[in-house]
């Protein structure tokens, strides 16, 4: 087990290095740079001042040097400053990460609370009305674009209930009520979308497991239906579900750009997209690497969860 | 040896397989109402895209400011937008853009993913290790962020959005094809073909490829829906199709959001169009899987 974890962590190093090269390369071939965006904000800047600025920011160095400096900054956890706002990137992340974490946690909880029971009911009552309703809701969840759902939810909440989510982000510790009001709708929209895939997978795997011999044995022993389904079938059906949920968690932690933009939540997604638009290299590079490292870690945790769910699985 | 080769060459596995797959799909579509519904949705979308010029009652770009933000009526069943363009005509022409982007992006992504997957799965070794780590690295970057970065480099447009979506699709597809190739390689007939000295391209084309087409087509049909969603998302963020072209995502982001309370039809109809298109491809992907995956056939 330990060897397996160490090997996986070692394998992650070249993947993260390649990701860093891709991101660094993409940012350098993008037309325009942060200084041009800065000049647009600050009016005309002379060529001398521009050269000095470029020198101060290290943008006049050869690419391999810029890359080496950045990798060193990442390794030493000192990602530097934003070119555009001059704010330390660590400070921006401290503001954005809690927003994304809260949104991800709420959406995930809502998604799972809907998906698992509906998926199980759909499987245990295959080809009946509840199954059809569950499947149609699931496929709809996959098909509705989140920006459309978000726009409709905001508008109809305003028209029918004369209520709009409060503007201006407030953290949970500052104002819990305002915070919950801000997160309720975006979490519901994301949770509904997430529940769709999980529901479909739960239905499919529970159906498969319900046909296994040990489940038939459980029925034959006269166990209650709930115990057979939830204790014997569901736990063994969860491996593919955990894989899906792990992938979804990774996507959520990467920041849900559109939902954050529509609901004016200053999370990771919005921070990264704004940085791309302003060509703020250090911010984009740091955010993407943070997300890449998170995804690699989540994949590892998902793989390790398999052994807990199915003790027959051993890691070598 | 030549007799064995002749037998292998004359073995009619491919035509039989193709016929049975189409038949299996036809049976599934006839048996499952959702399969028939998905086929109908896709057929409607394709026909709408092909005959958009004939079906659209008005020019999707011609503005009539005197009837701006008109409610849905007999003359304009989906209403008009902020400069008096007919929303129904724009939704109909939007089908062409969405389908075009979806087909080309998925086509490019699938072919590239298939080539990488075939090379990795068939030859394995160092090349496989290197290419798979590259695929891992691309997959570690969130899809929409990667697409955004690529579009920012190439300049926002429908074609560039399509290329960006193709890049996002490649790693997942390559992995699925690689797995299917590695599994197909274990078959005795592949070993036999190798033993009698068939060349690699021939083995790949005649023995491996037919075994990986089913998963490729299933995934491609599901990706078509996702590609339409990503194009709509990029257009929503201003980095996909540019105005005044009628992209569904752009219609939602520009006028749809701005006039949502005054003129909800501006957001409702393009959103419904996206949802129905994606729904059609998702359900069709399920139907293909039901038809071609023996484990699911009797479910």
């Amino acid at each position: 087990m330990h060897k397996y974890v160490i090997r996986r962590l070692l394998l992650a190093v070249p993947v993260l290095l390649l990701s860093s090269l891709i991101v660094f390369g993409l940012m350098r071939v993008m037309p325009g740079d942060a200084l041009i965006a800065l000049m647009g904000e600050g009016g005309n800047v002379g060529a001398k001042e521009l050269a000095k600025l470029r020198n101060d920011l290290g943008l006049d160095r050869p690419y391999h040097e810029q890359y080496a400096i950045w990798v060193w900054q990442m390794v030493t956890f000192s990602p530097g400053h934003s070119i555009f706002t001059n704010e330390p990137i660590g400070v921006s992340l401290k503001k954005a990460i809690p927003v994304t974490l809260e949104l991800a946690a709420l959406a995930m909880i809502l998604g799972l609370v809907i998906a698992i029971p509906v998926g199980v009911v759909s499987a245990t009552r295959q080809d009946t009305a509840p199954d059809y309703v569950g499947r149609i809701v699931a496929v709809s969840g996959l098909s509705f674009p989140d920006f459309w759902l978000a726009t409709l939810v905001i508008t109809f909440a305003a028209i029918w209930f004369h209520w709009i989510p409060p503007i201006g982000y407030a953290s949970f510790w500052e104002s819990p009520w305002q915070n919950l009001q801000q997160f309720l709708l975006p979490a519901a929209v994301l949770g509904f979308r997430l529940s769709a895939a999980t529901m479909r997978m739960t239905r499919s795997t529970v159906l498969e497991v319900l046909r296994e011999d040990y489940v038939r044995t459980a029925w034959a022993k006269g166990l209650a239906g709930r115990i057979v389904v939830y204790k014997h079938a569901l736990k063994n059906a969860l491996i593919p579900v955990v894989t899906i949920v792990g992938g979804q968690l990774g996507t959520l932690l990467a920041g849900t750009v559109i939902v954050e933009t529509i609901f004016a939540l200053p999370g990771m997604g919005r921070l990264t997209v704004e940085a791309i638009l302003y060509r703020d290299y250090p911010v984009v590079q740091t955010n993407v690497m943070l997300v890449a490292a998170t995804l690699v870690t989540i994949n590892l945790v998902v793989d390790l969860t398999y052994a807990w769910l199915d003790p027959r699985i051993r890691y070598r | 040896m030549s007799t064995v080769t002749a037998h292998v060459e004359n073995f009619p596995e491919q035509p039989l397989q193709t016929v049975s797959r189409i038949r299996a799909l036809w049976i599934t579509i006839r048996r499952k109402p959702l399969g028939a519904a998905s086929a109908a949705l896709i057929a409607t979308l394709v026909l709408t895209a092909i005959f958009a010029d004939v079906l659209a009652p008005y020019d999707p770009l011609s503005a009539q400011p005197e009837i701006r933000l008109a409610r849905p009526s007999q003359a304009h069943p989906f209403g008009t937008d902020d400069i008096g363009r007919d929303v129904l005509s724009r939704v109909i022409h939007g089908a062409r853009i969405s389908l075009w982007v979806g087909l080309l992006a998925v086509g490019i992504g699938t072919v590239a993913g298939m080539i990488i997957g075939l090379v990795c799965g068939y030859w394995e070794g160092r090349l496989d290790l290197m290419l798979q780590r590259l695929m891992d690295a691309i997959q570690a970057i969130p899809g929409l962020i990667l697409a955004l970065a690529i579009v920012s480099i190439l300049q926002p447009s429908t074609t560039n959005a399509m290329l960006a979506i193709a890049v996002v699709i490649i790693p997942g597809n390559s992995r699925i094809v690689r797995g299917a190739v590695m599994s197909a390689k274990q078959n005795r007939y592949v070993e036999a073909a190798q033993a009698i000295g068939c060349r690699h391209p021939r083995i790949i084309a005649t023995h491996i490829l037919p075994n990986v087409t089913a998963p490729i087509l299933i995934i491609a049909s599901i990706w078509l829906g996702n590609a339409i969603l990503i194009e709509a998302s990029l257009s929503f963020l201003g980095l996909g199709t540019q105005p005044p072209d009628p992209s569904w995502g752009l219609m939602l982001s520009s006028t749809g959001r701005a006039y949502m309370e005054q003129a909800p039809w501006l957001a409702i109809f393009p959103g419904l169009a996206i949802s129905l298109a994606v729904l059609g491809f998702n359900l069709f992907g399920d139907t293909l899987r039901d038809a071609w995956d023996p484990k699911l056939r009797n479910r």
Side-chain angles (χ1 to χ4, degrees):
Chain A
M1 173 85 161
H2 288 99
K3 272 186 188 169
Y4 174 79
V5 174
I6 291 168
R7 207 176 64 227
R8 284 287 301 266
L9 288 175
L10 285 176
L11 270 176
V13 175
V15 172
L16 290 177
L17 270 175
L18 271 173
S19 295
S20 71
L21 271 171
I22 293 171
V23 177
F24 184 86
L26 283 175
M27 290 309 294
R28 292 308 184 279
V29 293
M30 248 180 222
D33 65 17
L35 294 181
I36 293 168
L38 262 179
M39 277 164 63
E41 291 273 310
N44 280 334
V45 179
K48 261 191 183 175
E49 284 161 332
L50 198 63
K52 187 180 175 302
L53 209 54
R54 221 174 265 281
N55 181 268
D56 291 347
L57 294 167
L59 296 174
D60 56 351
R61 292 175 189 235
Y63 284 151
H64 65 273
E65 267 184 43
Q66 288 186 38
Y67 177 73
I69 291 169
W70 170 57
V71 170
W72 180 247
Q73 284 178 331
M74 293 303 293
V75 172
T76 54
F77 297 103
S78 51
H81 289 70
S82 153
I83 296 179
F84 202 72
T85 60
N86 203 30
E87 188 176 49
I89 295 172
V91 174
S92 312
L93 288 176
K94 262 185 200 162
K95 289 180 199 162
I97 289 174
V99 177
T100 297
L101 278 181
E102 189 179 347
L103 186 58
L106 284 174
M108 197 47 99
I109 291 168
L110 277 172
L112 288 176
V113 163
I114 301 169
I116 305 279
V118 176
V120 170
V121 169
S122 210
T124 49
R125 299 185 187 180
Q126 192 189 359
D127 292 332
T128 60
D131 180 28
Y132 284 124
V133 173
R135 285 165 72 186
I136 288 171
V137 170
V139 179
S140 311
L142 283 179
S143 310
F144 294 162
D146 44 14
F147 51 85
W148 187 54
L149 271 183
T151 310
L152 290 186
V153 162
I154 289 184
T155 310
F156 288 110
I159 293 174
W160 290 337
F161 305 109
H162 305 289
W163 180 81
I164 50 165
I167 297 161
Y169 169 71
S171 81
F172 184 79
W173 311 114
E174 282 167 17
S175 170
W177 178 234
Q178 191 182 335
N179 176 276
L180 279 179
Q181 283 181 303
Q182 282 175 330
F183 279 84
L184 184 71
L185 289 184
V189 168
L190 287 173
F192 174 62
R193 293 258 306 147
L194 295 178
S195 69
T198 316
M199 199 191 298
R200 271 157 62 99
M201 187 52 86
T202 308
R203 178 185 179 275
S204 167
T205 49
V206 169
L207 266 178
E208 212 162 286
V209 171
L210 283 176
R211 286 173 172 78
E212 296 280 341
D213 288 342
Y214 66 87
V215 173
R216 205 170 295 134
T217 311
W219 285 116
K221 280 196 301 185
L223 291 178
R226 190 186 283 182
I227 293 183
V228 175
V229 172
Y230 286 95
K231 198 175 166 195
H232 291 260
L234 186 60
K235 195 178 169 192
N236 288 293
L238 277 181
I239 287 185
V241 177
V242 167
T243 311
I244 292 242
V245 171
Q248 290 175 338
L249 189 62
T251 313
L252 283 176
L253 293 179
T256 43
V257 180
I258 290 179
V259 171
E260 284 174 12
T261 307
I262 293 176
F263 288 96
L265 294 173
M268 285 290 284
R270 242 179 96 187
L271 182 69
T272 311
V273 169
E274 280 171 9
I276 290 178
L277 297 177
Y278 288 122
R279 311 288 188 263
D280 201 341
Y281 308 141
V283 177
V284 179
Q285 291 168 184
T286 307
N287 289 8
V288 173
M289 286 318 295
L290 192 66
V291 168
T294 311
L295 288 178
V296 169
T297 313
I298 287 176
N299 284 342
L300 178 60
V301 173
V302 164
D303 284 354
L304 295 178
T305 314
Y306 295 162
W308 174 70
L309 286 169
D310 186 347
R312 288 172 300 180
I313 295 174
R314 291 275 172 271
Y315 298 103
R316 272 171 287 169
Chain B
M1 181 74 88
S2 60
T3 325
V4 177
T5 319
H7 275 294
V8 172
E9 279 173 355
N10 296 332
F11 187 68
E13 68 184 327
Q14 250 183 293
L16 264 182
Q17 222 172 24
T18 315
V19 170
S20 66
R21 267 190 199 150
I22 292 171
R23 220 177 136 202
L25 178 61
W26 176 240
I27 292 168
T28 312
I29 286 177
R30 278 200 347 211
R31 276 191 193 155
K32 302 216 169 187
L34 285 179
S38 69
L41 268 175
I42 292 174
T44 311
L45 180 69
V46 172
L47 291 174
T48 307
I50 293 172
F51 299 109
D53 293 328
V54 183
L55 291 172
Y58 302 92
D59 178 353
L61 303 180
S62 98
Q64 289 174 277
E66 63 278 9
I67 52 161
R68 66 187 293 270
L69 300 177
R71 287 177 168 280
S73 62
Q74 225 171 1
H76 299 278
F78 288 3
T80 61
D81 68 6
D82 59 326
I83 53 169
R85 291 174 299 195
D86 180 53
V87 176
L88 173 63
S89 305
R90 290 179 67 74
V91 169
I92 288 174
H93 278 270
R96 190 175 274 183
I97 293 180
S98 290
L99 200 64
W100 177 243
V101 171
L103 283 175
L104 275 182
V106 173
I108 296 170
T110 303
V111 170
M114 197 171 75
I115 294 170
I116 296 171
L118 275 171
V119 168
C120 290
Y122 189 77
W123 278 284
E124 299 185 47
R126 270 190 202 166
L127 184 67
D128 173 37
L129 191 75
M130 275 160 56
L131 281 172
Q132 285 310 307
R133 294 297 79 74
L134 181 65
M135 297 296 114
D136 286 346
I138 296 175
Q139 269 192 319
I141 302 170
L144 191 58
I145 300 283
L146 182 63
L148 269 170
I150 295 171
V151 171
S152 302
I153 292 166
L154 301 172
Q155 300 303 321
S157 75
T158 311
T159 315
N160 293 337
M162 190 181 75
L163 288 174
I165 297 167
V167 174
V168 173
I169 292 174
I170 292 171
N173 274 346
S174 80
R175 198 158 286 187
I176 286 163
V177 175
R178 177 178 175 268
V181 171
M182 287 171 102
S183 154
K185 233 172 58 173
Q186 306 304 320
N187 288 321
R188 289 268 169 87
Y189 54 82
V190 175
E191 274 178 46
Q194 283 168 340
I196 59 171
C198 283
R199 285 166 184 266
H200 295 308
R202 186 185 162 84
I203 296 174
I204 290 174
T206 52
H207 301 296
I208 306 273
L209 212 51
N211 284 295
V212 298
T213 45
I216 289 172
L217 287 173
I218 294 167
I219 292 297
S221 70
I222 293 171
W223 260 115
L224 264 167
N226 283 338
I228 290 174
L229 268 184
I230 300 177
E231 189 277 330
S233 305
L234 285 173
S235 298
F236 187 85
L237 292 169
L239 291 165
T241 306
Q242 296 299 300
D245 286 344
S247 151
W248 292 335
L250 186 65
M251 286 163 78
L252 262 174
S253 70
S254 54
T255 50
R257 278 182 75 199
Y259 297 96
M260 188 64 205
E261 282 190 48
Q262 281 169 271
W265 54 88
L266 292 180
I268 288 173
F269 292 115
L272 264 181
I274 300 172
S275 305
L276 285 174
V278 179
L279 184 73
F281 285 114
N282 278 338
L283 287 176
F284 194 67
D286 285 358
T287 310
L288 283 180
R289 203 175 42 197
D290 287 352
W292 293 346
D293 188 340
K295 277 193 281 178
L296 299 168
R297 224 165 254 171
N298 296 319
R299 186 167 292 174

